[in-house]
Amino acid sequence: MARSSVLPAFGLSFGISISALSLLVLLPFAMLLWTVSGMGWTGFWQTVSEPRTLAAVQLTLQTSFWAMLTNAVFGTLTAWVLVRYRFYGRNIINALVDLPFALPTAVTGVALATLYAPNGWLGCWFAPFDLKIAFTPIGIWIALVVVGLPFVVRSVQPVLEELSPEYEEAAAVLGAGRFTVFRRVLLPEILPALVTGAGMAFARATGEYGSVIFIAGNIPMQSEILPLIIAGKFELFDIQGAAAVSLFMLAISFVILLALNAWQWRLSKRGKKK
């Protein structure tokens, strides 16, 4: 028998939540499936298996993965500094973490492109060594790191704030080194939040367009990202082709995010048992 909830109006709240979720999330995906269904399996596979599309998918997933790992390391370090230390300008740095959320993605892309271009402030230092950052996959990786860093920081920071530093001090007193303290004391506590933040950063990276389009160079088979493929098909009024590529990328991202969420759930469940 179902237990009655102490909170009132559960049925109404649940119905509104399901309706909003259906309208905002499920309905657009259903429309995507309906659009692709008109192509048939053969047409769908021919569209997503084009060499240019596969190269864009590979580049998008690779750069998103490496950006996720980079943000996992530096995002955790940034959250640690903001929580464990008190220094002048801490509030300013804390606010700067959210800057990629506030800025239009196009602004971020233009700023990075001008900064890392061969004649930019930083790019000019690499030009004599024939090293290019802008208009290469390296530039894409940098852009994805910038837009994904806040997800990891804001996911790990609250957990560190709740974790008393006395545990770390006790481990240090008992003779544990810094790496041992991190591996045995901190990491088990922050790992579920870290996986959640890394998953959100990866999801943002796979669909990022504005901040990447200006620094990527968009060279086919070299630095062309998947969102550009989709936008190009829309410009050619190939709605079914754009929907097919979108659905293909959605399926890949969903599988990866599902695996990350399952891992995060297992970590949380293991932590509750302890």
Side-chain angles (χ1 to χ4, degrees):
M1 297 180 63
R3 295 182 300 175
S4 59
S5 175
V6 177
L7 299 177
F10 167 75
L12 179 61
S13 301
F14 182 75
I16 295 176
S17 300
I18 295 299
S19 300
L21 182 65
S22 300
L23 290 174
L24 299 177
V25 179
L26 298 181
L27 187 59
F29 292 159
M31 186 63 189
L32 194 66
L33 286 171
W34 184 82
T35 303
V36 174
S37 64
M39 302 178 62
W41 172 253
T42 303
F44 172 79
W45 181 250
Q46 288 179 351
T47 301
V48 300
S49 61
E50 295 176 354
R52 186 174 176 180
T53 301
L54 292 178
V57 171
Q58 182 180 3
L59 177 63
T60 301
L61 292 177
Q62 284 182 347
T63 51
S64 299
F65 176 76
W66 289 116
M68 179 188 68
L69 293 183
T70 305
N71 283 326
V73 175
F74 291 99
T76 304
L77 180 60
T78 303
W80 164 266
V81 171
L82 292 175
V83 172
R84 288 292 186 257
Y85 298 98
R86 297 294 181 268
F87 53 91
Y88 181 77
R90 174 177 171 271
N91 293 331
I92 297 177
I93 296 178
N94 193 32
L96 287 176
V97 171
D98 294 327
L99 192 60
F101 287 154
L103 283 178
T105 55
V107 175
T108 304
V110 171
L112 291 175
T114 55
L115 183 64
Y116 289 101
N119 58 346
W121 287 356
L122 295 181
C124 64
W125 294 96
F126 297 93
F129 303 98
D130 199 23
L131 294 177
K132 294 182 179 180
I133 297 179
F135 318 125
T136 66
I138 299 177
I140 300 175
W141 167 73
I142 292 176
L144 297 182
V145 168
V146 172
V147 299
L149 183 66
F151 291 98
V152 177
V153 175
R154 295 313 184 202
S155 297
V156 175
Q157 189 174 358
V159 180
L160 288 176
E161 290 175 348
E162 293 294 330
L163 185 62
S164 175
E166 294 177 356
Y167 296 104
E168 305 161 41
E169 296 172 357
V173 170
L174 293 174
R178 294 182 177 180
F179 180 74
T180 303
V181 172
F182 174 78
R183 183 173 59 89
R184 302 296 296 273
V185 178
L186 288 177
L187 188 59
E189 297 294 331
I190 68 173
L191 192 55
L194 178 59
V195 173
T196 301
M200 290 189 295
F202 177 83
R204 170 68 184 271
T206 54
E208 182 62 24
Y209 180 78
S211 62
V212 177
I213 195 70
F214 294 101
I215 197 173
N218 309 317
I219 304 175
M221 309 296 292
Q222 295 184 20
S223 62
E224 188 177 40
I225 57 175
L226 190 62
L228 185 65
I229 295 286
I230 299 173
K233 290 183 178 296
F234 265 110
E235 292 177 356
L236 296 175
F237 300 99
D238 186 7
I239 306 301
Q240 287 187 333
V245 176
S246 301
L247 184 63
F248 181 63
M249 190 62 195
L250 176 64
I252 296 175
S253 299
F254 179 78
V255 171
I256 297 174
L257 290 176
L258 184 63
L260 289 174
N261 284 319
W263 185 25
Q264 190 269 345
W265 178 78
R266 291 186 60 184
L267 292 173
S268 300
K269 188 176 181 181
R270 186 184 305 172
K272 292 179 180 179
K273 288 183 178 180
K274 294 181 180 179

